[in-house]
Amino acid sequence: MMSKLKVTIDQDSGYCFGVEYAIRMAEDAMEDSDKLYCLGDIVHNDMEVKRLFNKGLRVINHEELQELHDCKVLIRAHGEPPETYRIAMENNIELIDASCPVVLKLQNRVKNAHDKMCTDKGQIVIYGKKGHAEVTGLDGQTNGNAIIVMDETDLEEIDFKRPVTLFSQTTKSTSGFYNIKEKIENRLKLAQADLKEGNSAMLNANDSICRQVSNREPKLKEFSKQHDVVLFVSGKKSSNGKALYQVCKAQNVNSYFIENEEEVDSSWFEGRESVGICGATSTPMWLMETVKNFVENIEHQSLQSC
């Protein structure tokens, strides 16, 4: 028999502003149209993508975009490179731009930095996941000339005898950014010996991580400590989800990554008193509530069988 479980949802988890804004724009647009196209998954959560599919949202890729004409296409919170806007204009596509304001501001900063770096032979380096939609949009501001790095092995692509301007994907971890920043600084210092005096390579590092995202790390640490078991709900494709789950796991070894209630194992709660449910910036609150109800129902069934 399981002890009486107290199940709590972390109220600081769930959609960030950018994702919430994009989904609201999609739902508003679908009220006036039978079908709305979305360039890529609107959010890295299959459960939410399925819910919106049932409302008429159809996901397309960039190749399919080129074949569309005279329709409406939603740009999700991750943002898009300039090429997407050019194609839309040529094909008479009405874009519903739900790019996150934080991402749009960063795109502008990257473009301005790239234009400046062209004059002093510098390099734009982006700390982020290669192929991620946001990173692709940022790289587009440099005409595809940015160097994308995730770990130390990627640093081999950088010329440390030339200036470096560093940015970060908005959803990466703060500690990861400052770790890669330090490694770049150290490599630049080693390269100084080969440079002539007055021609030193420099690093201009820009912590462009969204604070709404980064502030979740310390809050999740405290939340994870407060519960015997932690259920981290997230889509498996979410980079943010993978990073935040590791924050939970580091504080509480009884932390489990699940995509939905079907992945919950009742044995996790044996002899436990409290369960904390939290999620990524791409996790809808309704999904965390579904998991909460499922766990409470497991407990109810266990009590009835005793």
Side-chain angles (χ1 to χ4, degrees):
M1 173 178 173
M2 285 193 290
S3 59
K4 178 67 176 178
L5 283 174
K6 180 181 180 183
V7 186
T8 306
I9 295 177
D10 174 28
Q11 293 304 309
D12 291 316
S13 286
Y15 289 151
C16 63
F17 165 79
V19 172
E20 187 174 358
Y21 175 69
I23 289 176
R24 187 169 64 248
M25 287 191 72
E27 291 181 319
D28 288 347
M30 286 187 290
E31 287 182 0
D32 303 323
S33 176
D34 294 337
K35 183 184 294 183
L36 174 67
Y37 295 103
C38 181
L39 197 48
D41 288 342
I42 191 170
V43 61
H44 291 146
N45 187 285
D46 289 343
M47 304 292 288
E48 181 70 338
V49 170
K50 182 178 179 181
R51 183 185 75 85
L52 292 170
F53 177 88
N54 291 334
K55 287 193 167 190
L57 188 66
R58 298 294 180 262
V59 177
I60 60 169
N61 57 35
H62 287 82
E63 288 73 25
E64 291 169 321
L65 176 71
Q66 298 182 42
E67 303 301 320
L68 292 178
H69 294 80
D70 311 313
C71 60
K72 293 182 179 180
V73 174
L74 180 86
I75 291 180
R76 54 192 174 162
H78 303 86
E80 282 291 322
E83 175 71 3
T84 297
Y85 294 87
R86 183 189 65 77
I87 293 171
M89 184 173 294
E90 289 180 355
N91 292 4
N92 195 36
I93 294 172
E94 179 184 343
L95 290 179
I96 299 173
D97 198 339
S99 300
C100 174
V102 175
V103 173
L104 287 177
K105 182 177 180 181
L106 176 56
Q107 285 186 350
N108 189 53
R109 291 176 65 189
V110 169
K111 183 182 186 309
N112 289 338
H114 174 257
D115 292 346
K116 178 179 180 298
M117 295 296 271
C118 286
T119 62
D120 55 18
K121 299 182 179 180
Q123 307 153 95
I124 300 295
V125 177
I126 299 172
Y127 171 58
K129 182 180 179 181
K130 191 171 294 185
H132 187 280
E134 180 189 325
V135 174
T136 299
L138 295 174
D139 190 24
Q141 310 305 315
T142 72
N143 299 318
N145 293 320
I147 300 170
I148 314 301
V149 301
M150 271 286 285
D151 51 44
E152 193 166 6
T153 58
D154 296 326
L155 300 186
E156 299 303 322
E157 298 181 40
I158 301 174
D159 181 353
F160 290 98
K161 295 182 180 181
R162 295 164 53 201
V164 173
T165 296
L166 175 66
F167 293 96
S168 175
Q169 179 183 332
T170 62
T171 54
K172 298 305 290 179
S173 84
T174 305
S175 59
F177 172 78
Y178 282 99
N179 178 54
I180 210 77
K181 171 181 176 288
E182 182 180 4
K183 293 184 184 304
I184 292 174
E185 284 178 326
N186 292 337
R187 295 284 290 271
L188 283 169
K189 289 176 182 177
L190 288 174
Q192 300 306 303
D194 298 326
L195 295 174
K196 295 180 180 179
E197 186 176 352
N199 191 33
S200 298
M202 298 170 54
L203 171 64
N204 177 14
N206 300 271
D207 179 351
S208 51
I209 296 168
C210 174
R211 284 300 170 257
Q212 191 181 5
V213 174
S214 64
N215 288 343
R216 294 195 179 188
E217 289 188 32
K219 291 180 180 178
L220 272 183
K221 286 181 180 179
E222 291 306 310
F223 183 79
S224 300
K225 293 176 184 176
Q226 294 167 5
H227 301 282
D228 297 328
V229 178
V230 173
L231 300 181
F232 189 88
V233 187
S234 172
K236 291 180 173 63
K237 292 185 286 187
S238 170
S239 299
N240 170 255
K242 293 173 184 175
L244 291 181
Y245 169 65
Q246 292 304 322
V247 171
C248 297
K249 191 71 173 179
Q251 301 300 318
N252 188 329
V253 294
N254 298 312
S255 296
Y256 302 94
F257 189 109
I258 61 172
E259 194 162 25
N260 53 50
E261 73 280 5
E262 295 176 3
E263 298 180 356
V264 173
D265 186 336
S266 61
S267 66
W268 297 339
F269 314 124
E270 292 291 342
R272 309 296 182 182
E273 295 182 356
S274 66
V275 178
I277 297 173
C278 49
T281 55
S282 55
T283 304
M285 184 59 68
W286 67 261
L287 183 54
M288 288 186 282
E289 290 172 348
T290 299
V291 172
K292 178 177 185 290
N293 292 336
F294 183 84
V295 173
E296 290 175 335
N297 191 50
I298 289 177
E299 180 194 17
H300 178 68
Q301 291 177 343
S302 176
L303 290 172
Q304 282 188 327
S305 64
C306 295

